[in-house]
Amino acid sequence: MSLSIAKLSTGALVAVALSFGSIAGHAADAPSKADLKKHESSPGGKYQPRMDVLRDEKVEQPGSTPGMPTLSAADYQKANQIYFERCAGCHGVLRKGATGKPLTTKVTRENGFEYLRDFITYGSPGGMPNWGDGGGLSKAQIDMMAAYLLMDPAQPPEFGMKEIMATWKVHVPVNKRPSKQMNKLDLDNLFSVTLRDTGQIALIDGATKEITQIIDTGYAVHISRISASGRYLFVIGRDAKVNLIDMYMDPPTSVAEIKVGSEARSVETSKMKGWEDTYAIAGAYWPPQFVIMNGDDLKPRKVVSTRGMTVGTQEYHPEPRVAAIVGSHYHPDFLVNVKETGKVMMVDYSSLKALKITTIDAARFLHDGGFDSTGRYFMAAANASNIISVIDTKRRKLVKNITVGTTPHPGRGANFNHPKYGPVWATSHLGDETIALIGTDPDGHPQYAWKLVQSLEGQGGGSLFVKTHPKSKNLYVDTPLNPEAEVSSSIAVFDLNDPSKEYEVLPIGEWSGITEGVRRVVQGEYNFAGDEVWFSVWNSASQESAIVIVDDKTRKLKHVIRDKRLVTPTGKFNFYNTRKDVY
């Protein structure tokens, strides 16, 4: 997920958290017409993951080709920055294609300058933003990009063990850390909240709803993960920087850091019994590789490339990015989703010197996913193929590829007991309004296992996350990337006692009390008790954002956290639920 790349100073750290009582009866104003127009037309409002940090990489300009346009050195670097910021996430760093079409010179030169210029300007119904008509790029920039695409692709520098080691820093050695928890934080009910555009996370107490600490991290933290013991918090930024935070210290402190590449999104820790806290793994978008590190100080131990052949056509792909990573509970394995090749690499970390990798052909293009309710089956979304791949982590094999709706994007998904179909796992979709329910109980409900048993109809496309809890009877579905501002600022809630019933809409953006911006509502997350669900109200970096907390039983507003330090809050990770894979 990537909407804004601007960085913002947090300024004065003034807390203005509001209770339910202080905003009860307040009628929030609707977003302004300017906000609505921007939401409707801005490419930032589309699902366009992009290489936020590769924009700063200086790459060598390819030589000119006779008969093709040329760019000055300055214009080439500008075009390169625009491509990495806005295009590479879909079309690939090397322009080989992914969610978007390939833009190799074989394709671009066949179409020509005028075609490229017009396509960039006006976009397409297939998802290409209208960069000119929508105001994203000037006419001069579009001409520059059309010429850039006729040139050979640039390649950012590689990032091997030598470069990784040069970034490794241990701020507090292991033998200088406490042997027990020295602070009074309730670690099971603490939230790690991404402050995307400030390069920070906020630690928020689940009981008091107060920010206990702001910690500097990498830029645009994508996820937070908790070690199996609950002691260490790992966060990774889009700039591929990993921070290791010791939660036993008073206050919690970033005790080590490392960069595993130039662009990344995923980190995980070893969870198998007997291997708790031993290793961590981080996967990179560029270069396409993963790095296994010590779990207590991030010392890099093994770098493994993911370049290789694709599933199906078995063509070589030079840029298969690492997407979601999960830690197995049945073997000392990390399951690594390799996006462009469509393979799941089950990495056996029991011997790093004789590393064994079981490679499972799933489907292109693998992105996110999570476990079923038993923790045995990994449900991985191959979103550009409209498939959920089911991996049996105990038997280390593919169970089935299941066709669902358009562009599934489950986050980690949602598990619950369906009144007819038994245990199911749910995903929503970026490309349509449906929520797919897949049966996950081959022993108790074999007739429904690994089938799309029901498709619910939600508010619309543009969903990123679904959420429920073992103690809940509600399924929450967000739609932050929907083009309708009213839809993107609200949540649909389904009754799990009867999922076929009409959903209820919760006006989370309005409940926040914020009157500016389009107030995108994203990523529900439960507290430890499972009786509250937290939502981010996500505005741009220059506007106010908030966290809205809903009483799960009544579906009513319970609390709003408004604090000037909450700049672009996106992901929220409850320590207990994240550590125990509760979703």
Side-chain angles (χ1 to χ4, degrees), residues 32-283:
S32 68
K33 289 184 178 179
D35 281 328
L36 292 173
K37 185 64 178 174
K38 182 178 180 182
H39 181 68
E40 178 182 322
S41 61
S42 169
K46 313 297 184 185
Y47 178 61
Q48 294 295 331
R50 58 188 184 232
M51 302 302 185
D52 293 314
V53 292
L54 285 178
R55 62 194 172 127
D56 297 322
E57 294 285 351
K58 300 300 181 185
V59 298
E60 184 177 347
Q61 183 171 348
S64 61
T65 301
M68 291 294 111
T70 59
L71 293 173
S72 68
D75 282 349
Y76 179 80
Q77 292 301 334
K78 290 178 184 177
N80 208 56
Q81 177 176 342
I82 291 171
Y83 183 80
F84 286 141
E85 282 181 358
R86 306 188 180 195
C87 314
C90 279
H91 297 286
V93 169
L94 304 180
R95 300 187 352 216
K96 293 289 187 179
T99 305
K101 299 289 186 182
L103 293 173
T104 58
T105 53
K106 180 180 178 180
V107 174
T108 60
R109 291 173 184 174
E110 181 178 328
N111 285 292
F113 178 87
E114 291 184 357
Y115 175 91
L116 294 171
R117 179 196 63 200
D118 292 346
F119 195 71
I120 296 169
T121 302
Y122 301 111
S124 78
M128 172 71 175
N130 53 341
W131 293 104
D133 194 44
L137 296 174
S138 68
K139 184 179 183 303
Q141 287 175 318
I142 290 173
D143 287 347
M144 185 169 63
M145 292 308 297
Y148 173 85
L149 292 176
L150 293 168
M151 302 173 69
D152 290 325
Q155 179 164 322
E158 298 293 330
F159 211 87
M161 181 60 85
K162 178 182 176 181
E163 291 78 15
I164 293 169
M165 281 294 296
T167 71
W168 177 47
K169 299 176 184 176
V170 177
H171 304 299
V172 183
V174 175
N175 61 4
K176 300 293 184 183
R177 300 175 201 166
S179 58
K180 61 181 180 180
Q181 185 177 345
M182 303 304 291
N183 58 63
K184 296 183 179 179
L185 296 172
D186 180 357
L187 296 184
D188 280 344
N189 201 25
L190 198 66
F191 289 77
S192 174
V193 179
T194 296
L195 306 180
R196 191 192 184 284
D197 292 335
T198 65
Q200 298 172 318
I201 60 163
L203 298 179
I204 301 181
D205 185 278
T208 66
K209 316 296 191 285
E210 294 179 352
I211 297 176
T212 65
Q213 194 175 348
I214 301 289
I215 298 177
D216 292 334
T217 60
Y219 168 62
V221 165
H222 191 73
I223 58 173
S224 298
R225 290 291 180 260
I226 319 299
S227 68
S229 70
R231 173 170 188 163
Y232 291 114
L233 168 64
F234 297 79
V235 296
I236 188 167
R238 284 290 193 182
D239 56 1
K241 180 179 178 180
V242 181
N243 285 85
L244 174 65
I245 299 166
D246 187 350
M247 298 304 302
Y248 280 9
M249 297 180 71
D250 188 16
T253 300
S254 180
V255 295
E257 64 181 69
I258 197 169
K259 274 176 65 68
V260 298
S262 302
E263 171 84 13
R265 75 178 293 280
S266 295
V267 68
E268 182 59 288
T269 72
S270 52
K271 293 183 176 179
M272 179 62 184
K273 186 176 181 181
W275 294 91
E276 298 90 341
D277 296 21
T278 302
Y279 293 123
I281 182 174

Side-chain angles (χ1 to χ4, degrees), residues 13 26 29 32 119 121 132 143 188 203 225 243 256 265 289 337 358 409 430 443 477 495 500 515 518 565-566 582-583:
L13 305 180
H26 174 73
D29 298 330
S32 68
F119 195 71
T121 302
D143 287 347
D188 280 344
L203 298 179
R225 290 291 180 260
N243 285 85
R265 75 178 293 280
Q289 62 192 29
N337 275 358
T358 301
H409 193 288
L430 277 160
D443 296 326
V477 183
D495 182 353
S500 300
T515 59
V518 293
R565 295 172 289 177
L566 284 178
V582 177
Y583 40 80

Side-chain angles (χ1 to χ4, degrees), residues 363-580:
R364 300 174 74 189
F365 295 80
L366 292 166
H367 191 62
D368 54 355
F371 288 112
D372 77 312
S373 60
T374 68
R376 174 174 172 174
Y377 298 97
F378 178 42
M379 316 289 287
N383 53 22
S385 299
N386 305 329
I387 281 174
I388 299 297
S389 295
V390 183
I391 309 296
D392 184 344
T393 66
K394 183 177 181 179
R395 299 178 64 192
R396 292 179 169 136
K397 62 177 292 184
L398 175 72
V399 176
K400 191 174 182 182
N401 282 332
I402 303 166
T403 299
V404 289
T406 304
T407 320
H409 193 288
R412 307 198 84 180
N415 292 295
F416 64 92
N417 278 308
H418 192 283
K420 177 178 179 180
Y421 304 113
V424 298
W425 178 90
T427 180
S428 54
H429 300 84
L430 277 160
D432 66 36
E433 73 281 2
T434 65
I435 298 93
L437 308 185
I438 295 171
T440 61
D441 184 15
D443 296 326
H445 298 78
Q447 69 273 39
Y448 303 128
W450 320 129
K451 297 177 182 178
L452 175 63
V453 295
Q454 188 172 6
S455 184
L456 308 176
E457 185 171 323
Q459 290 197 88
S463 177
L464 292 176
F465 300 101
V466 290
K467 183 63 67 172
T468 189
H469 188 277
K471 296 180 181 179
S472 176
K473 293 299 180 182
N474 295 315
L475 175 68
Y476 297 88
V477 183
D478 70 15
T479 42
L481 301 185
N482 191 280
E484 297 292 332
E486 185 177 349
V487 176
S488 69
S489 66
S490 60
I491 290 290
V493 192
F494 290 85
D495 182 353
L496 297 185
N497 289 316
D498 185 0
S500 300
K501 283 174 53 178
E502 180 71 15
Y503 57 81
E504 179 182 358
V505 176
L506 305 185
I508 303 295
E510 180 181 331
W511 284 354
S512 73
I514 295 172
T515 59
E516 64 177 349
V518 293
R519 306 174 302 193
R520 300 178 194 276
V521 175
V522 66
Q523 204 245 357
E525 176 77 345
Y526 277 85
N527 63 345
F528 170 66
D531 57 9
E532 295 174 354
V533 59
W534 296 33
F535 295 99
S536 295
V537 179
W538 176 20
N539 266 331
S540 70
S542 61
Q543 297 172 312
E544 184 182 6
S545 294
I547 293 175
V548 171
I549 301 169
V550 175
D551 185 301
D552 182 64
K553 185 176 182 179
T554 65
R555 301 182 180 177
K556 302 296 184 184
L557 175 63
K558 186 171 184 178
H559 191 82
V560 178
I561 304 175
R562 290 175 71 174
D563 189 308
K564 289 184 178 180
R565 295 172 289 177
L566 284 178
V567 178
T568 56
T570 50
K572 301 166 300 302
F573 303 88
N574 174 267
F575 275 47
Y576 181 85
N577 294 336
T578 302
R579 176 165 61 95
K580 294 292 188 179

